[in-house]
């Protein structure tokens, strides 16, 4: 009978020592677009029928990695999913908006929130509408819940404060408190849009029709 083979310790397999993952560390590498990729927007939705195809929805923005002569383009989503979609479903995507600010937490978030509320309270007191402060809280809650769009929140704040520029500034501040990445980016992008023109002043009681038209034409 043969004696069992004994593997010397120095030749035995030893798994590489790896540090345990830190709490909250991502399990995959963060998304980064390829240097030679092109951003494309889906003009229509497409449902995959084969394993090599990729399901996409209308309006999705993807990376176009390789366009083939057979009418298919290899694309990749932000979550890393890749596959083929019909080339005719793709159109040039608008340039990406400004990067959203990082999410604030803890003392920094509490301080920013107090500062924003203080600013709004002072503005409402100057306008004689202090009783409408609750609209600020309701508006931000509606936005976080998806019941209000970023532009809707800005419009509501502009109506509350009677100042669109101040509303845009508040949207920029509040974007740092939104935990949802997409909502934070949308609110920050809304805050970077130029202020809208103020509404025309109502005609004075002693204005006749032609004086009011002349004044509005000069203001345009």
């Amino acid at each position: 009978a043969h004696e069992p083979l004994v593997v010397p310790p120095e030749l035995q397999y030893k798994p590489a020592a790896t540090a345990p993952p830190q709490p909250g560390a991502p399990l995959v590498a963060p998304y980064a677009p390829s240097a030679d990729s092109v951003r494309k927007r889906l003009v229509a939705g497409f449902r995959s029928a084969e394993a090599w195809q990729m399901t996409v929805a209308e309006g999705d923005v993807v990376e176009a990695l390789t366009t083939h002569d057979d009418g298919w383009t290899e694309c990749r989503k932000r979550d890393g999913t890749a596959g083929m979609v019909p080339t005719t479903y793709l159109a040039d995507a608008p340039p990406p908006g400004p990067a959203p600010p990082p999410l604030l937490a803890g003392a920094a978030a509490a301080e920013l929130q107090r500062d924003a509320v203080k600013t709004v309270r002072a503005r409402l007191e100057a306008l004689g509408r202090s009783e409408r402060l609750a609209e600020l809280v309701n508006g931000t809650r509606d936005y976080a819940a998806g019941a209000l769009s970023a532009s809707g929140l800005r419009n509501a704040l502009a109506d509350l404060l009677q100042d669109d520029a101040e509303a845009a500034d508040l949207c920029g501040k509040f974007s740092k408190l939104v935990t949802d990445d997409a909502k934070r980016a949308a609110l920050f992008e809304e805050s970077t849009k130029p202020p809208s023109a103020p509404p025309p002043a109502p005609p004075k009681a002693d204005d006749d029709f032609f004086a009011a038209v002349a004044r509005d034409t000069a203001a345009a």
Side-chain angles (χ1 to χ4, degrees):
H2 297 285
E3 294 184 1
L5 178 64
V6 177
V7 180
E10 62 271 16
L11 298 181
Q12 292 179 5
Y13 170 77
K14 296 182 179 65
T18 56
Q22 298 297 319
L27 299 180
V28 296
Y31 168 84
S34 303
D36 56 349
S37 65
V38 178
R39 282 167 46 91
K40 293 289 184 178
R41 179 180 59 83
L42 273 299
V43 298
F46 172 75
R47 183 178 295 277
S48 63
E50 303 288 345
W52 50 273
Q53 299 171 355
M54 181 173 67
T55 297
V56 287
E58 181 180 353
D60 281 355
V61 175
V62 297
E63 285 184 85
L65 303 175
T66 306
T67 300
H68 301 273
D69 295 335
D70 58 359
W72 294 91
T73 297
E74 182 182 2
C75 297
R76 183 171 62 178
K77 298 180 181 179
R78 288 188 60 85
D79 63 4
T81 304
M84 297 287 187
V85 300
T87 303
T88 54
Y89 283 45
L90 300 171
D92 291 338
L103 176 66
L104 294 183
E111 182 179 356
L112 186 147
Q113 193 169 14
R114 285 194 299 268
D115 177 67
V117 172
K118 182 179 179 181
T119 299
V120 172
R121 179 181 287 113
R123 175 65 175 171
L124 292 180
E125 288 177 353
L127 294 172
R129 47 173 65 179
S130 301
E131 72 283 355
R132 296 182 61 180
L133 182 62
E135 295 181 27
L136 172 68
V137 178
N138 295 335
T140 53
R141 286 178 177 173
D142 286 345
Y143 180 72
L148 197 63
S149 65
S151 60
L153 178 58
R154 175 170 172 173
N155 291 337
L157 291 173
D159 175 71
L160 179 65
L161 305 175
Q162 296 294 289
D163 189 327
D164 184 60
E166 193 166 353
D169 182 66
L170 280 173
C171 286
K173 292 180 178 179
F174 287 144
S175 67
K176 301 176 184 179
L177 305 174
V178 180
T179 55
D180 183 273
D181 291 342
K183 288 187 174 68
R184 184 166 69 255
L187 192 57
F188 179 73
E189 184 175 359
E190 182 66 32
S191 74
T192 64
K193 295 179 180 178
S196 60
K204 297 180 181 179
D206 56 349
D207 272 354
D208 60 21
F209 172 77
F210 296 102
V213 171
R215 186 185 63 253
D216 293 343
T217 301

